[in-house]
């Protein structure tokens, strides 16, 4: 009888222990926090950079008078577009016409003297062969002929100079572009030197330059990654393309090219000046206009990307929480690089392909905690003790 009572007691005790173990297991399971996560995988990420920028004429030319005189006429409307070769101003040509006629008369006289010298030389040279005249007479005739030829050349140069000065009385546009206000009014006496020679300015706006600056560290990072083969340019023969955005947010319809990088760094700002060139056939872009420049065309190869909300800041810098193969939380220090267009961080160091990074409930988790990870794109949730 006693033995039977003992057996019953032992059975009850085992039953209680078994229930306790089951309850403990249920409690442990209930303590697993369910979190969202991603499994990082290498991917090619198009890079985009945006900078404040300002438009500048590709050429800014001063239009100056090259001869003096009375300014008779202005042939353009101030602020209008002109073409190279258009006559912008006319200077009184009277004195230059007279100078040209005088030079032409001198040329005609010199040519007549040359003809006479050539005839003398022809006669003297024949007489010298016949031993009728002396060698000195021959030499004098030769010298007179050479002098006449030189006189014709000098007279021709004077004609060319006079013609050039007469042509300069019509002041033409050296380049195509937009004119500024005139600096000399019609009827003014202008000179060919000094401030009085400046008539107007022309700014060439097609193509137009866009000036912007990038930080030294950013340019260094891009150069370093390019040297390591981490960046490629997929089109246009390796050129970096540029786009423009107005202050309203609208995009300019033409693309441009980065055509200059300043070799020196601005010591004040720590930035490097760059220049892009854009077509501007409609004149929509104006010199001095503020814009936003978008630089595209670079691809970051095999990048590991995490959402920005997954990155925390600690004493040792940025870190993320990852779920290890036992379903436990680990802290992983990382080195972030460039940002992506969809608000993610490219991780340059600290993660490997296949790592599971937690993206939610970050304030509720800690190192070593078991979690159930709902991995984006994977149907089955992963928990402690299950294979990741």
């Amino acid at each position: 009888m006693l033995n039977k009572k003992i057996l019953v007691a032992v059975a009850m005790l085992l039953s209680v222990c078994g229930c306790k173990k089951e309850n403990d297991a249920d409690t442990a399971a209930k303590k697993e926090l369910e979190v969202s996560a991603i499994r990082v995988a290498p991917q090619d990420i198009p890079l985009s950079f945006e900078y404040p920028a300002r438009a500048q004429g590709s050429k800014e030319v001063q239009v100056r008078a090259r001869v003096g005189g009375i300014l008779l006429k202005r042939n353009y409307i101030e602020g209008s577009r002109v073409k190279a070769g258009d006559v912008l101003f006319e200077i009184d040509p009277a004195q230059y016409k007279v100078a040209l006629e005088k030079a032409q008369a001198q040329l005609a006289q010199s040519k007549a003297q040359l003809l006479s010298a050539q005839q003398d030389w022809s006669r003297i040279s024949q007489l010298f062969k016949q031993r009728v005249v002396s060698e000195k007479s021959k030499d004098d005739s030769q010298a007179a002929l050479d002098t006449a030829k030189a006189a014709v050349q000098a007279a021709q140069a004077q004609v060319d100079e006079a013609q050039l000065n007469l042509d300069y009385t019509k002041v033409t546009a050296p380049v195509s572009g937009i004119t500024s206000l005139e600096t000399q009014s019609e009827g003014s006496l202008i000179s060919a030197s000094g401030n009085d020679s400046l008539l107007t300015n022309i700014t060439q706006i097609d193509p137009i330059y866009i000036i912007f600056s990038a930080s030294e560290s950013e340019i260094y990072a891009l150069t370093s990654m390019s040297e390591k083969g981490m960046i490629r340019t997929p089109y246009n023969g390796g050129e970096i393309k540029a786009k423009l955005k107005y202050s309203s947010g609208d995009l300019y319809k033409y693309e441009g090219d980065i055509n200059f990088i300043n070799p020196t760094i601005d010591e004040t700002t720590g930035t490097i000046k760059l220049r892009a060139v854009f077509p501007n056939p409609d004149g929509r872009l104006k010199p001095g206009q503020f814009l936003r420049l978008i630089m595209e065309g670079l691809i970051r190869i095999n990048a590991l990307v995490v959402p920005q909300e997954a990155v925390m800041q600690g004493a040792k810098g940025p870190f993320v929480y990852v779920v290890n193969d036992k379903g436990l939380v680990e802290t992983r220090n990382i080195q972030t690089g460039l940002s992506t267009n969809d608000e993610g961080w490219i991780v340059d160091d600290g993660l490997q392909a296949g790592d599971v990074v937690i993206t939610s409930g970050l304030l509720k988790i800690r190192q070593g905690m078991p979690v159930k990870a709902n991995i984006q794109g994977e149907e089955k949730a992963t928990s402690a003790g299950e294979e990741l």
Side-chain angles (χ1 to χ4, degrees), residues 202-248:
I202 296 178
T203 302
Q204 189 175 68
I205 61 172
D206 184 26
I208 194 167
Y209 287 157
I210 305 297
I211 309 299
F212 64 101
S213 296
S215 68
E216 174 191 2
S217 58
E218 191 170 69
I219 296 297
Y220 173 79
L222 289 175
T223 303
S224 178
M225 286 188 288
S226 179
E227 292 173 349
K228 295 176 182 177
M230 300 166 66
I231 287 180
R232 73 166 184 264
T233 53
Y235 55 84
N236 294 312
E239 294 180 355
I240 300 175
K241 302 303 293 184
K243 295 181 179 180
L244 283 179
K245 187 188 294 184
Y246 295 106
S247 57
S248 62

Side-chain angles (χ1 to χ4, degrees), residues 43 99 132 157 168 171 184 202 267 269 284 289 343 372:
Q43 52 185 311
V132 175
Y168 284 157
V171 182
Q184 300 284 351
I202 296 178
E267 297 179 358
T269 61
R284 291 288 303 276
Q289 185 175 1
E343 298 184 349
K372 181 179 289 186

Side-chain angles (χ1 to χ4, degrees), residues 153-206:
Q153 291 179 342
Q156 183 62 58
Q158 290 178 346
V159 170
D160 293 341
E161 181 182 11
Q163 182 64 61
L164 195 60
N165 288 334
L166 180 60
D167 293 341
Y168 284 157
T169 61
K170 295 184 182 296
V171 182
T172 59
V175 297
S176 299
I178 303 297
T179 58
S180 68
L181 294 173
E182 66 175 8
T183 59
Q184 300 284 351
S185 301
E186 294 171 327
S188 299
L189 176 62
I190 59 176
S191 65
S193 61
N195 295 332
D196 290 340
S197 66
L198 179 62
L199 301 179
T200 189
N201 294 281
I202 296 178
T203 302
Q204 189 175 68
I205 61 172
D206 184 26

Side-chain angles (χ1 to χ4, degrees), residues 5-188:
K5 290 181 178 181
I6 292 174
L7 290 173
V8 171
V10 170
M12 293 177 63
L13 181 60
L14 292 174
S15 176
V16 171
C17 290
C19 291
K20 185 175 185 303
K21 290 181 179 179
E22 290 179 0
N23 290 336
D24 290 345
D26 291 342
T27 302
K30 290 179 181 179
K31 287 183 178 179
E32 287 184 0
L33 180 65
E34 190 168 324
V35 296
S36 299
I38 61 167
R39 191 184 301 275
V40 294
Q43 52 185 311
D44 292 348
I45 302 295
L47 302 177
S48 178
F49 307 90
E50 188 168 326
Y51 306 96
R54 193 171 187 180
Q56 175 183 300
S58 53
K59 289 183 180 178
E60 296 183 358
V61 180
Q62 293 181 334
V63 179
R64 292 184 176 272
R66 303 178 73 171
V67 292
I70 300 297
L71 186 62
L72 294 182
K73 189 177 181 181
R74 170 169 55 83
N75 296 322
Y76 71 96
I77 299 174
E78 295 167 302
S80 64
R81 179 174 292 195
V82 296
K83 296 180 180 179
D86 287 351
V87 178
L88 304 182
F89 298 92
E90 294 182 26
I91 299 170
D92 186 3
Q95 61 177 322
Y96 300 104
K97 287 181 178 179
V98 171
L100 176 60
E101 292 171 356
K102 182 178 179 180
Q104 289 172 337
Q106 181 63 47
L107 175 61
Q109 181 179 356
S110 298
K111 286 182 177 180
Q113 292 173 348
L114 174 60
L115 179 60
S116 177
Q118 288 174 335
Q119 292 172 346
D120 288 344
W121 166 250
S122 179
R123 289 193 297 269
I124 295 296
S125 61
Q126 290 297 325
L127 293 174
F128 178 76
K129 290 179 182 179
Q130 298 172 6
R131 299 182 181 275
V132 175
V133 297
S134 66
E135 186 173 354
K136 182 178 183 306
S137 297
K138 179 188 73 97
D139 293 340
D140 290 343
S141 179
Q142 178 68 59
L145 177 60
D146 293 340
T147 301
K149 289 179 179 179
V152 169
Q153 291 179 342
Q156 183 62 58
Q158 290 178 346
V159 170
D160 293 341
E161 181 182 11
Q163 182 64 61
L164 195 60
N165 288 334
L166 180 60
D167 293 341
Y168 284 157
T169 61
K170 295 184 182 296
V171 182
T172 59
V175 297
S176 299
I178 303 297
T179 58
S180 68
L181 294 173
E182 66 175 8
T183 59
Q184 300 284 351
S185 301
E186 294 171 327
S188 299

